Structures are given as structure tokens and as C-alpha cells.
Coordinates of all heavy atoms in Angstrom, one line a residue:
M1 N 89.9 103.6 83.1 CA 90.6 104.9 82.5 C 92.0 104.9 83.1 O 92.2 104.7 84.2 CB 89.7 106.0 83.1 CG 90.3 107.3 82.4 SD 89.4 108.7 82.8 CE 90.1 109.0 84.5
M2 N 92.8 105.3 82.2 CA 94.1 105.6 82.5 C 94.5 107.0 82.2 O 94.2 107.6 81.2 CB 95.0 104.7 81.7 CG 96.5 104.6 81.9 SD 97.4 103.1 81.1 CE 97.3 103.6 79.4
L3 N 95.2 107.7 83.2 CA 95.7 108.9 83.1 C 97.1 109.0 82.5 O 98.0 108.4 83.2 CB 95.6 109.8 84.3 CG 94.3 110.4 84.7 CD1 94.3 111.1 85.9 CD2 93.6 111.3 83.5
I4 N 97.4 109.4 81.5 CA 98.8 109.5 80.8 C 99.3 110.9 81.0 O 98.7 111.9 80.5 CB 98.8 109.1 79.4 CG1 98.2 107.7 79.2 CG2 100.2 109.2 78.9 CD1 98.1 107.2 77.9
P5 N 100.5 111.1 81.7 CA 101.1 112.3 81.9 C 101.9 112.8 80.7 O 103.1 112.5 80.6 CB 102.0 112.1 83.1 CG 102.4 110.7 83.1 CD 101.3 110.0 82.5
C6 N 101.3 113.6 79.8 CA 102.0 114.1 78.8 C 103.0 115.2 79.3 O 102.7 116.0 80.2 CB 101.1 114.9 77.8 SG 101.9 115.7 76.4
P7 N 104.3 115.1 78.9 CA 105.3 115.9 79.5 C 105.2 117.5 79.1 O 105.8 118.2 79.6 CB 106.6 115.4 79.1 CG 106.3 114.4 77.8 CD 104.9 114.0 78.1
Y8 N 104.3 117.6 78.1 CA 104.1 119.0 77.6 C 102.8 119.6 78.1 O 102.7 120.9 78.3 CB 104.0 119.0 76.1 CG 105.2 118.5 75.3 CD1 105.3 117.2 75.0 CD2 106.3 119.2 75.2 CE1 106.4 116.7 74.4 CE2 107.5 118.8 74.7 CZ 107.5 117.5 74.3 OH 108.7 117.0 73.8
C9 N 101.6 118.7 78.4 CA 100.3 119.2 78.7 C 99.9 118.7 80.1 O 99.0 119.5 80.6 CB 99.4 118.8 77.7 SG 99.7 119.1 75.9
G10 N 100.6 117.8 80.7 CA 100.1 117.3 82.0 C 99.3 116.1 81.9 O 99.1 115.6 80.7
P11 N 98.7 115.6 82.9 CA 97.9 114.4 82.9 C 96.5 114.6 82.1 O 95.9 115.5 82.2 CB 97.6 114.1 84.3 CG 98.4 114.9 85.2 CD 98.8 116.1 84.2
R12 N 96.3 113.6 81.1 CA 95.1 113.6 80.2 C 94.6 112.2 80.2 O 95.3 111.2 80.3 CB 95.5 114.2 78.9 CG 96.0 115.7 79.0 CD 94.9 116.6 79.2 NE 95.3 118.0 78.9 CZ 95.9 118.7 79.8 NH1 96.3 118.3 80.9 NH2 96.2 120.0 79.4
D13 N 93.4 112.2 79.8 CA 92.6 110.8 79.6 C 93.4 110.0 78.5 O 93.8 110.5 77.4 CB 91.3 110.9 79.3 CG 90.4 109.8 79.4 OD1 90.4 108.9 78.3 OD2 90.0 109.4 80.5
E14 N 93.4 108.7 78.6 CA 94.2 107.9 77.6 C 93.6 107.9 76.3 O 94.2 107.6 75.3 CB 94.1 106.4 78.1 CG 92.8 105.8 78.1 CD 92.8 104.3 78.6 OE1 93.2 103.5 77.9 OE2 92.2 104.1 79.8
T15 N 92.3 108.3 76.1 CA 91.6 108.4 74.9 C 92.2 109.5 74.0 O 91.9 109.5 72.7 CB 90.0 108.7 75.0 OG1 89.8 109.8 75.8 CG2 89.4 107.6 75.7
E16 N 93.0 110.3 74.6 CA 93.7 111.4 73.8 C 95.0 110.9 73.1 O 95.7 111.7 72.3 CB 94.0 112.7 74.6 CG 92.7 113.3 75.1 CD 93.0 114.7 75.9 OE1 94.1 115.1 75.9 OE2 92.1 115.2 76.6
F17 N 95.4 109.7 73.3 CA 96.8 109.4 73.0 C 96.6 108.0 72.1 O 95.6 107.3 72.1 CB 97.6 108.8 74.3 CG 97.7 110.1 75.3 CD1 96.8 110.4 76.2 CD2 98.9 110.8 75.1 CE1 96.9 111.5 77.1 CE2 99.1 111.9 76.0 CZ 98.1 112.3 76.9
H18 N 97.8 107.9 71.4 CA 97.9 106.5 70.6 C 99.4 106.0 71.1 O 100.3 106.8 71.1 CB 97.9 106.8 69.3 CG 96.6 107.1 68.6 ND1 95.5 106.4 68.8 CD2 96.1 108.3 68.2 CE1 94.4 106.9 68.3 NE2 94.7 108.2 68.0
C19 N 99.4 104.8 71.1 CA 100.8 104.1 71.6 C 101.5 103.9 70.3 O 100.8 103.3 69.2 CB 100.5 102.9 72.4 SG 102.0 102.1 72.9
G20 N 102.7 104.1 70.3 CA 103.6 103.9 69.1 C 104.6 102.6 69.3 O 105.4 102.5 68.5
G21 N 104.4 101.9 70.4 CA 105.2 100.7 70.5 C 106.4 101.1 71.4 O 106.7 102.0 72.0
Q22 N 107.4 100.2 71.3 CA 108.7 100.1 72.1 C 109.4 101.4 71.7 O 109.6 101.8 70.6 CB 109.4 98.9 71.6 CG 110.8 98.8 72.4 CD 111.5 97.5 72.2 OE1 111.1 96.6 71.5 NE2 112.8 97.4 72.5
A23 N 109.9 102.0 72.8 CA 110.8 103.2 72.8 C 112.2 102.8 72.6 O 112.7 101.6 72.9 CB 110.6 104.0 74.0
H24 N 113.1 103.7 72.2 CA 114.4 103.5 72.1 C 114.9 102.4 71.1 O 115.7 101.6 71.6 CB 115.1 103.2 73.6 CG 114.7 104.1 74.6 ND1 115.2 105.4 74.7 CD2 113.8 104.0 75.5 CE1 114.6 106.1 75.6 NE2 113.8 105.2 76.3
V25 N 114.2 102.4 70.0 CA 114.7 101.5 69.0 C 115.6 102.1 68.0 O 115.2 103.1 67.4 CB 113.5 100.8 68.3 CG1 113.9 100.0 67.1 CG2 112.5 100.1 69.1
N26 N 116.8 101.7 68.0 CA 117.8 102.5 67.2 C 117.8 102.1 65.8 O 117.9 100.9 65.5 CB 119.2 102.3 67.8 CG 119.3 102.9 69.3 OD1 118.8 104.0 69.5 ND2 120.0 102.2 70.2
H27 N 117.7 103.1 64.8 CA 117.8 102.8 63.4 C 119.2 102.4 63.1 O 120.3 103.0 63.6 CB 117.5 104.1 62.7 CG 117.2 103.9 61.3 ND1 118.3 103.9 60.3 CD2 116.1 103.7 60.5 CE1 117.9 103.7 59.1 NE2 116.6 103.6 59.2
P28 N 119.5 101.4 62.3 CA 121.0 101.1 61.9 C 121.7 102.3 61.3 O 121.1 103.0 60.5 CB 120.8 100.0 60.9 CG 119.4 99.4 61.2 CD 118.6 100.5 61.7
N29 N 122.9 102.6 61.6 CA 123.7 103.7 61.2 C 123.8 103.6 59.6 O 123.6 104.6 59.0 CB 125.1 103.8 61.8 CG 124.9 104.3 63.3 OD1 124.1 104.9 63.7 ND2 125.9 103.7 64.0
D30 N 124.0 102.4 59.1 CA 124.1 102.3 57.7 C 123.2 101.1 57.3 O 123.7 99.9 57.4 CB 125.6 101.9 57.3 CG 125.8 101.8 55.8 OD1 124.8 101.9 55.1 OD2 126.9 101.6 55.4
P31 N 122.0 101.4 56.8 CA 121.1 100.3 56.5 C 121.6 99.3 55.4 O 121.2 98.2 55.5 CB 119.8 101.0 56.1 CG 120.0 102.3 56.6 CD 121.4 102.7 56.8
H32 N 122.5 99.8 54.6 CA 122.9 99.1 53.5 C 124.1 98.0 54.0 O 124.4 97.0 53.3 CB 123.6 99.9 52.4 CG 122.6 100.8 51.8 ND1 121.5 100.3 51.0 CD2 122.3 102.1 51.8 CE1 120.8 101.2 50.5 NE2 121.3 102.4 51.1
A33 N 124.5 98.2 55.2 CA 125.6 97.4 55.6 C 125.1 96.2 56.5 O 125.8 95.3 56.9 CB 126.6 98.2 56.6
V34 N 123.9 96.2 56.9 CA 123.2 95.2 57.6 C 122.7 94.1 56.8 O 122.4 94.3 55.6 CB 122.0 95.7 58.7 CG1 122.7 96.6 59.6 CG2 121.1 96.2 57.9
S35 N 122.7 93.0 57.4 CA 122.0 91.7 56.7 C 120.6 91.8 56.5 O 119.9 92.7 57.3 CB 122.4 90.4 57.3 OG 121.8 90.3 58.6
D36 N 120.0 91.0 55.8 CA 118.5 91.1 55.6 C 117.9 90.6 56.9 O 116.8 91.2 57.3 CB 118.0 90.0 54.5 CG 118.4 90.6 53.1 OD1 118.7 91.7 53.0 OD2 118.3 89.7 52.2
E37 N 118.5 89.6 57.5 CA 118.0 89.3 58.9 C 118.0 90.3 59.9 O 117.0 90.6 60.6 CB 118.8 88.1 59.5 CG 118.2 87.3 60.8 CD 119.0 86.3 61.1 OE1 119.7 85.6 60.4 OE2 118.8 85.9 62.4
E38 N 119.1 91.1 60.0 CA 119.2 92.2 60.9 C 118.3 93.3 60.6 O 117.7 93.9 61.5 CB 120.8 92.8 60.8 CG 121.7 91.8 61.4 CD 123.2 92.3 61.1 OE1 123.5 92.8 60.0 OE2 124.1 92.0 62.0
W39 N 118.0 93.6 59.3 CA 117.1 94.7 58.8 C 115.7 94.2 59.3 O 114.8 94.9 59.8 CB 117.2 94.9 57.4 CG 116.3 95.9 56.9 CD1 115.2 95.8 56.1 CD2 116.5 97.3 57.1 NE1 114.6 97.2 55.9 CE2 115.5 98.0 56.6 CE3 117.4 98.1 58.0 CZ2 115.3 99.5 56.7 CZ3 117.3 99.4 58.1 CH2 116.2 100.1 57.5
A40 N 115.3 92.9 59.1 CA 114.0 92.5 59.5 C 113.8 92.5 60.9 O 112.8 92.8 61.5 CB 113.9 91.0 59.0
D41 N 114.9 92.2 61.8 CA 114.8 92.4 63.2 C 114.5 93.8 63.7 O 113.6 94.1 64.5 CB 116.2 91.9 63.8 CG 116.3 90.5 64.0 OD1 115.3 89.7 63.8 OD2 117.5 90.0 64.2
F42 N 115.2 94.8 62.9 CA 114.9 96.1 63.2 C 113.5 96.6 62.9 O 112.8 97.2 63.6 CB 115.9 97.1 62.4 CG 115.5 98.4 62.3 CD1 115.4 99.3 63.5 CD2 115.0 99.0 61.1 CE1 115.1 100.7 63.4 CE2 114.6 100.3 61.0 CZ 114.5 101.1 62.2
L43 N 113.0 96.0 61.7 CA 111.6 96.6 61.2 C 110.4 95.9 62.0 O 109.5 96.6 62.3 CB 111.5 96.2 59.7 CG 112.2 97.0 58.7 CD1 111.9 96.7 57.4 CD2 111.8 98.4 58.9
F44 N 110.5 94.6 62.2 CA 109.4 93.8 62.7 C 109.4 93.2 64.2 O 108.5 92.8 64.6 CB 109.3 92.7 61.8 CG 109.0 93.1 60.3 CD1 110.1 92.7 59.4 CD2 108.0 93.8 60.0 CE1 109.9 93.0 58.1 CE2 107.9 94.2 58.6 CZ 108.9 93.9 57.6
F45 N 110.7 93.2 64.8 CA 110.7 92.5 66.0 C 110.8 93.5 67.2 O 111.8 94.3 67.2 CB 111.8 91.4 66.1 CG 111.4 90.3 65.1 CD1 111.9 90.3 63.8 CD2 110.6 89.3 65.5 CE1 111.7 89.2 62.9 CE2 110.4 88.2 64.7 CZ 110.8 88.2 63.4
R46 N 109.9 93.4 68.1 CA 110.0 94.2 69.3 C 109.8 93.5 70.5 O 109.1 92.4 70.5 CB 109.0 95.2 69.2 CG 108.8 96.2 68.2 CD 110.2 97.2 68.2 NE 110.2 98.1 67.1 CZ 111.0 97.9 66.1 NH1 111.7 96.8 65.9 NH2 111.1 98.7 65.0
A47 N 110.3 93.9 71.6 CA 110.1 93.2 73.0 C 108.6 93.3 73.3 O 108.0 94.3 73.0 CB 111.1 93.9 74.0
N48 N 108.3 92.3 74.1 CA 106.9 92.4 74.7 C 106.9 91.9 76.1 O 106.4 90.8 76.4 CB 106.0 91.5 73.7 CG 104.6 91.6 74.2 OD1 104.1 92.5 74.8 ND2 103.7 90.6 73.9
P49 N 107.6 92.6 77.0 CA 107.9 92.1 78.3 C 106.7 92.1 79.2 O 105.8 93.0 79.0 CB 108.9 93.0 78.8 CG 108.6 94.3 78.2 CD 108.2 94.0 76.7
K50 N 106.6 91.5 80.2 CA 105.8 91.4 81.3 C 106.4 92.4 82.4 O 107.4 91.9 83.0 CB 105.3 90.0 81.8 CG 104.3 89.9 83.0 CD 104.2 88.6 83.2 CE 103.1 88.3 84.4 NZ 102.7 87.1 84.7
G51 N 105.9 93.5 82.6 CA 106.4 94.3 83.7 C 106.7 95.8 82.9 O 106.1 96.3 82.1
V52 N 107.6 96.4 83.6 CA 107.9 97.8 83.1 C 108.6 97.9 81.8 O 109.5 97.1 81.5 CB 108.9 98.5 84.3 CG1 109.2 99.9 83.8 CG2 108.2 98.5 85.6
F53 N 108.0 98.8 81.1 CA 108.4 98.8 79.6 C 108.5 100.3 79.1 O 107.6 101.0 79.5 CB 107.3 98.0 78.8 CG 107.8 97.7 77.3 CD1 109.0 97.3 77.0 CD2 106.8 98.0 76.4 CE1 109.4 97.0 75.7 CE2 107.2 97.8 75.1 CZ 108.5 97.2 74.6
A54 N 109.4 100.8 78.4 CA 109.3 102.0 77.8 C 108.8 102.1 76.5 O 109.1 101.2 75.5 CB 110.9 102.5 77.7
E55 N 107.8 102.9 76.2 CA 107.0 102.9 75.0 C 106.9 104.4 74.5 O 107.0 105.3 75.3 CB 105.5 102.5 75.4 CG 105.4 101.1 75.9 CD 104.0 100.9 76.3 OE1 103.4 101.8 77.0 OE2 103.4 99.8 76.0
R56 N 106.8 104.4 73.3 CA 106.5 105.8 72.7 C 104.9 106.0 72.5 O 104.2 105.2 72.3 CB 107.1 105.8 71.1 CG 108.5 105.6 71.1 CD 109.1 105.4 69.6 NE 108.0 105.6 68.7 CZ 108.2 106.5 67.6 NH1 109.2 107.2 67.5 NH2 107.3 106.6 66.8
W57 N 104.6 107.2 72.9 CA 103.1 107.7 72.9 C 103.1 109.0 72.1 O 104.1 109.7 72.1 CB 102.5 107.8 74.3 CG 102.4 106.5 74.9 CD1 103.3 105.6 75.5 CD2 101.1 105.8 75.0 NE1 102.6 104.5 76.0 CE2 101.2 104.5 75.8 CE3 99.8 106.1 74.6 CZ2 100.2 103.7 76.0 CZ3 98.7 105.3 75.0 CH2 99.0 104.0 75.6
V58 N 102.0 109.2 71.4 CA 101.8 110.6 70.9 C 100.4 111.1 71.5 O 99.4 110.3 71.6 CB 101.7 110.4 69.4 CG1 100.5 109.6 68.9 CG2 101.5 111.8 68.8
H59 N 100.4 112.4 71.8 CA 99.2 113.0 72.3 C 98.4 113.5 71.1 O 98.5 114.7 70.8 CB 99.6 114.2 73.3 CG 98.6 114.7 74.1 ND1 98.8 115.7 75.0 CD2 97.3 114.3 74.1 CE1 97.4 116.0 75.6 NE2 96.7 115.2 75.0
A60 N 97.7 112.6 70.5 CA 97.1 112.9 69.1 C 96.0 113.8 69.2 O 95.7 114.6 68.4 CB 96.6 111.5 68.7
A61 N 95.3 113.9 70.5 CA 94.1 114.9 70.4 C 94.5 116.1 71.3 O 93.7 116.7 71.9 CB 92.9 114.2 71.2
G62 N 95.8 116.2 71.5 CA 96.4 117.5 72.2 C 97.5 118.1 71.6 O 97.0 118.7 70.5
C63 N 98.7 118.1 72.0 CA 99.7 118.9 71.4 C 100.3 118.1 70.3 O 101.2 118.6 69.6 CB 100.8 119.1 72.5 SG 101.6 117.5 73.1
R64 N 100.0 116.9 70.0 CA 100.4 116.1 68.9 C 101.8 115.8 69.0 O 102.6 115.6 67.9 CB 100.0 116.8 67.6 CG 98.4 117.0 67.5 CD 98.1 117.5 66.2 NE 98.4 116.7 65.0 CZ 97.7 115.6 64.6 NH1 96.6 115.4 65.2 NH2 98.2 115.0 63.6
R65 N 102.5 115.9 70.0 CA 104.0 115.6 70.2 C 104.1 114.1 70.7 O 103.3 113.5 71.3 CB 104.6 116.4 71.2 CG 104.5 117.8 70.7 CD 105.3 118.8 71.8 NE 105.5 120.1 71.4 CZ 105.7 121.1 72.1 NH1 106.0 120.8 73.3 NH2 105.9 122.3 71.6
W66 N 105.3 113.5 70.3 CA 105.6 112.1 70.7 C 106.5 112.4 72.0 O 107.3 113.4 72.1 CB 106.5 111.5 69.7 CG 105.7 111.0 68.4 CD1 105.4 111.7 67.3 CD2 105.1 109.7 68.4 NE1 104.6 111.0 66.5 CE2 104.4 109.8 67.1 CE3 105.0 108.6 69.2 CZ2 103.6 108.6 66.6 CZ3 104.2 107.6 68.8 CH2 103.6 107.6 67.4
F67 N 106.4 111.4 72.9 CA 107.2 111.2 74.0 C 107.3 109.8 74.5 O 106.8 109.0 73.9 CB 106.5 112.2 75.2 CG 105.2 111.8 75.6 CD1 104.9 111.0 76.6 CD2 104.1 112.3 74.7 CE1 103.7 110.7 77.0 CE2 102.7 111.9 75.1 CZ 102.6 111.2 76.1
N68 N 108.0 109.6 75.6 CA 108.2 108.1 76.0 C 107.5 108.1 77.4 O 107.4 109.0 78.2 CB 109.7 107.8 76.2 CG 110.3 107.8 74.9 OD1 109.7 107.4 73.9 ND2 111.6 108.1 74.8
V69 N 106.9 106.9 77.8 CA 106.4 106.6 79.0 C 106.9 105.3 79.4 O 107.0 104.4 78.6 CB 104.8 106.4 78.8 CG1 104.2 105.8 80.0 CG2 104.2 107.8 78.4
R70 N 107.2 105.1 80.8 CA 107.6 103.9 81.3 C 106.3 103.3 82.1 O 105.9 103.9 83.0 CB 108.6 104.0 82.4 CG 110.1 104.4 81.7 CD 111.2 104.5 82.5 NE 111.4 103.2 83.1 CZ 111.5 102.9 84.4 NH1 111.2 103.8 85.3 NH2 111.7 101.7 84.7
R71 N 105.8 102.2 81.5 CA 104.5 101.7 82.0 C 104.7 100.2 82.3 O 105.3 99.5 81.6 CB 103.5 101.9 80.9 CG 102.1 101.3 81.2 CD 101.1 101.6 80.1 NE 101.4 100.7 79.0 CZ 101.0 99.4 78.7 NH1 100.2 98.9 79.6 NH2 101.3 98.8 77.6
D72 N 104.1 99.9 83.5 CA 103.9 98.4 83.7 C 102.9 97.8 82.9 O 101.7 98.1 83.0 CB 103.7 98.3 85.2 CG 103.9 96.9 85.7 OD1 103.3 95.9 85.2 OD2 104.5 96.5 86.8
T73 N 103.3 96.8 82.1 CA 102.3 96.2 81.1 C 101.3 95.4 81.8 O 100.3 95.0 81.3 CB 103.1 95.4 80.0 OG1 103.8 94.3 80.7 CG2 104.0 96.3 79.2
V74 N 101.6 94.9 83.0 CA 100.6 94.1 84.0 C 99.6 95.0 84.5 O 98.4 94.6 84.5 CB 101.4 93.2 84.9 CG1 100.4 92.5 85.8 CG2 102.4 92.4 84.2
T75 N 99.9 96.0 85.2 CA 99.1 96.9 86.0 C 98.7 98.2 85.3 O 97.8 98.9 85.8 CB 99.7 97.2 87.4 OG1 101.0 98.0 87.1 CG2 100.1 96.0 88.0
N76 N 99.3 98.5 84.3 CA 99.0 99.8 83.6 C 99.6 101.0 84.5 O 99.3 102.1 84.0 CB 97.7 100.1 83.2 CG 97.4 99.5 81.9 OD1 98.3 99.2 81.1 ND2 96.1 99.4 81.5
D77 N 100.3 100.8 85.6 CA 101.0 101.8 86.3 C 101.9 102.6 85.5 O 102.9 101.9 85.0 CB 101.6 101.4 87.6 CG 100.4 100.8 88.6 OD1 99.3 101.2 88.5 OD2 100.8 100.1 89.5
I78 N 101.8 103.9 85.5 CA 102.8 104.6 84.7 C 103.9 105.2 85.7 O 103.4 105.8 86.7 CB 102.2 105.7 84.0 CG1 101.3 105.2 82.8 CG2 103.2 106.7 83.3 CD1 100.5 106.2 82.1
Q79 N 105.1 104.8 85.5 CA 106.2 105.3 86.3 C 106.8 106.6 86.0 O 107.1 107.3 87.0 CB 107.2 104.2 86.5 CG 106.7 102.9 87.0 CD 107.8 101.9 87.2 OE1 108.9 102.1 86.8 NE2 107.5 100.8 88.0
S80 N 106.8 107.0 84.8 CA 107.2 108.2 84.4 C 107.0 108.5 82.7 O 106.6 107.6 82.2 CB 108.8 108.3 84.6 OG 109.5 107.3 83.9
S81 N 107.0 109.7 82.6 CA 107.0 110.2 81.2 C 108.1 111.1 80.8 O 108.5 111.9 81.9 CB 105.7 110.5 80.7 OG 105.3 111.8 81.4
Y82 N 108.6 111.1 79.8 CA 109.7 112.1 79.4 C 109.8 112.3 78.0 O 109.3 111.6 77.1 CB 111.0 111.6 79.9 CG 111.3 110.1 79.6 CD1 112.2 109.8 78.4 CD2 110.8 109.0 80.3 CE1 112.4 108.6 78.0 CE2 111.2 107.7 79.9 CZ 112.0 107.5 78.7 OH 112.3 106.2 78.3
R83 N 110.3 113.5 77.6 CA 110.5 114.0 76.2 C 111.4 113.0 75.4 O 112.4 112.4 76.1 CB 110.8 115.4 76.2 CG 109.9 116.4 76.9 CD 110.3 117.8 76.9 NE 109.2 118.5 77.7 CZ 109.2 119.9 77.6 NH1 109.9 120.5 77.0 NH2 108.2 120.4 78.3
I84 N 111.3 113.0 74.2 CA 112.1 112.0 73.3 C 113.7 112.4 73.7 O 114.4 111.5 73.7 CB 111.9 112.2 71.9 CG1 110.3 111.7 71.6 CG2 112.8 111.5 71.0 CD1 110.2 110.2 71.7
A85 N 114.0 113.6 73.6 CA 115.4 114.0 73.8 C 115.9 113.8 75.3 O 117.2 113.9 75.4 CB 115.6 115.5 73.4
E86 N 115.1 113.5 76.3 CA 115.5 113.4 77.6 C 116.1 111.9 77.8 O 115.4 111.0 77.1 CB 114.4 113.6 78.7 CG 114.0 115.1 78.6 CD 112.8 115.4 79.5 OE1 112.0 114.5 79.7 OE2 112.7 116.5 80.0
P87 N 117.0 111.8 78.6 CA 117.4 110.4 79.0 C 116.4 109.6 79.7 O 115.7 110.1 80.5 CB 118.7 110.5 79.8 CG 118.5 111.9 80.3 CD 117.8 112.7 79.5
G88 N 116.2 108.4 79.3 CA 115.2 107.5 80.0 C 115.8 106.2 80.3 O 117.0 105.9 80.0
T89 N 114.9 105.2 80.5 CA 115.5 103.8 80.7 C 115.4 103.1 79.5 O 114.2 103.1 78.9 CB 114.6 103.2 81.9 OG1 114.8 103.8 83.1 CG2 115.0 101.7 82.1
V90 N 116.3 102.4 79.0 CA 116.3 101.8 77.8 C 115.7 100.4 78.1 O 116.1 99.7 79.2 CB 117.8 101.7 77.2 CG1 117.6 100.9 76.0 CG2 118.3 103.0 76.9
N91 N 114.9 99.8 77.2 CA 114.5 98.5 77.5 C 115.6 97.4 77.2 O 116.4 97.6 76.3 CB 113.3 98.1 76.4 CG 112.0 99.1 76.6 OD1 111.7 99.2 77.8 ND2 111.6 99.7 75.6
E92 N 115.6 96.4 78.0 CA 116.5 95.4 77.8 C 116.1 94.2 77.2 O 114.9 94.0 77.0 CB 117.2 94.9 79.2 CG 117.7 96.2 79.8 CD 118.2 95.9 81.3 OE1 118.2 94.9 81.6 OE2 118.7 96.9 82.0
Ligands
ZN1 ZN1 100.4 116.9 75.1

């Protein structure tokens, strides 16, 4: 069992959440100005690192809000969680 610290509700069981994948993925400012390859990279390709990674999570069975979590993908240790508008660590 993993406890996920929702920044709005506090720690809750992982069964209340859904992971939305990599956090801090920026939408192209002008989608019509990018190439097909750049658009495909934006839509389909995400980092999959071994170690600490920033992810989007939604508290689906709670407040239903999205937020970010910094989680070690090897140990599942959660280092921090923060609201979308708050500064966090960007995945490299
Ligand atoms: Zn919540």
C-alpha cells in the first residue's frame, strides 16, 4: 500500500488516485507551427526514468483535483506533492 499526500486532503490510500503520467509537459505555443514529428513527440513520447520523477495525479475518489507528485519509480518513495500552480521540479 502506498500513501499519497494529496495537497488538498492530506495522505490517503493509493486506491483513491489515478496517475496521469509525466508532469510538466508543455503544450506547444502554436501547434500549427510545429512539425509532425514535434507534434508526435508532444503527444506520444514521455520520459520513463529509473529514479525520482514528477508525475500528475488526480484524487479521483476524493477532491477530484489534479496535482503533482515527485516519486521514486524504483522504491515508490514519495518525496513531495504540490499543487499544479506551485513550482516543482521539472523532469529532465
Ligand atoms: Zn484530495
Side-chain angles (χ1 to χ4, degrees):
M1 181 185 78
M2 184 168 64
L3 282 180
I4 297 177
C6 174
Y8 302 97
C9 306
R12 299 289 191 274
D13 189 273
E14 65 180 293
T15 59
E16 296 185 12
F17 298 86
H18 294 291
C19 184
Q22 182 178 349
H24 308 291
V25 176
N26 295 320
H27 190 277
N29 289 333
D30 182 1
H32 299 288
V34 299
S35 69
D36 288 347
E37 184 177 344
E38 291 169 326
W39 185 248
D41 283 346
F42 163 71
L43 285 180
F44 303 114
F45 292 94
R46 297 292 180 263
N48 189 21
K50 181 178 181 182
V52 177
F53 189 51
E55 302 170 317
R56 295 167 14 117
W57 285 79
V58 61
H59 194 181
C63 63
R64 303 184 61 81
R65 292 179 176 172
W66 286 92
F67 58 95
N68 294 328
V69 171
R70 292 185 69 235
R71 180 180 67 88
D72 189 310
T73 59
V74 176
T75 63
N76 273 339
D77 289 338
I78 294 176
Q79 298 191 345
S80 64
S81 67
Y82 50 97
R83 299 175 185 195
I84 295 288
E86 293 175 331
T89 301
V90 176
N91 294 314
E92 297 177 12

